[in-house]
Amino acid sequence: MTDTIDTARGSRLPRSARRKQLLAAAQDVFVNNGYHAAAMDDIAVRAGVSKPVLYQHFPGKLDLYLALLDTHAEELVDKVRQALADTDDNRARIHNVMTAYFDFVDGESRGDEGAFRLIFESDLGNEPAVRERVDRVGRLTMQAVADTVAADTGLSRPQAELLGVALTGAAQMAATWWLDADRPVSKAEAIRLLETLQWRGISHFPLHNVPPTAD
């Protein structure tokens, strides 16, 4: 693995470690300043590297932003998929999906505050490459839920996807509101309330949608 040297500061890091360092610095700057007000100079200073080192890894500010989006989008999609795969109990699945969204939004608890804003509250939403990635996160998480709903209920694909949108959309919006409202209830209680609400609705769909036997 090739090392990256910052000649201005005399430091050396493996390329993967340097990239991780630069992404962390860029996230801080983007979250605090917004994309448009952020500058590559600011990111280099935050990372403690020279601009040439920063440009060795990322040709421009948009490339850096997209790399951050890809990292966090993949993380959220993986969390939702794992939440569904970890159990066959559907109420537990709802709990797990709610938890995945709340944990992702609650970056403070995992030392990654503000990551979710890069996806859900980007000030670069009109940029096609950003919009495509944001749409992809919503589509992949919805499809993961819809796969489970369709398999368990026998609902048609459009019906299952509609429920998938409702479940993931509610999780995202509720978790974001909870954080913006300064965590007015504990995270565990917020998840419990949403889980109860969602379960009371989805549990009324019969497993495999088997029609009643005629007398």
Side-chain angles (χ1 to χ4, degrees), residues 178-199:
W178 172 81
L179 185 65
D180 289 342
D182 198 23
R183 301 173 175 85
V185 299
S186 71
K187 182 163 66 173
E189 176 65 5
I191 292 169
R192 186 192 68 79
L193 287 168
L194 284 169
E195 172 194 340
T196 300
L197 177 65
Q198 300 265 21
W199 177 245

Side-chain angles (χ1 to χ4, degrees), residues 1-16 18-19 21-22 48-57:
M1 181 178 296
T2 303
D3 289 351
T4 299
I5 304 173
D6 183 350
T7 55
R9 293 164 176 78
S11 59
R12 180 191 295 268
L13 281 177
R15 186 172 182 83
S16 60
R18 179 69 79 193
R19 180 182 173 88
Q21 175 198 31
L22 297 175
V49 302
S50 63
K51 280 181 69 177
V53 168
L54 179 57
Y55 281 109
Q56 284 176 17
H57 292 264

Side-chain angles (χ1 to χ4, degrees), residues 152-168:
D152 282 356
T153 66
L155 292 173
S156 70
R157 188 67 194 182
Q159 290 172 320
E161 291 193 355
L162 183 61
L163 292 178
V165 169
L167 290 166
T168 56

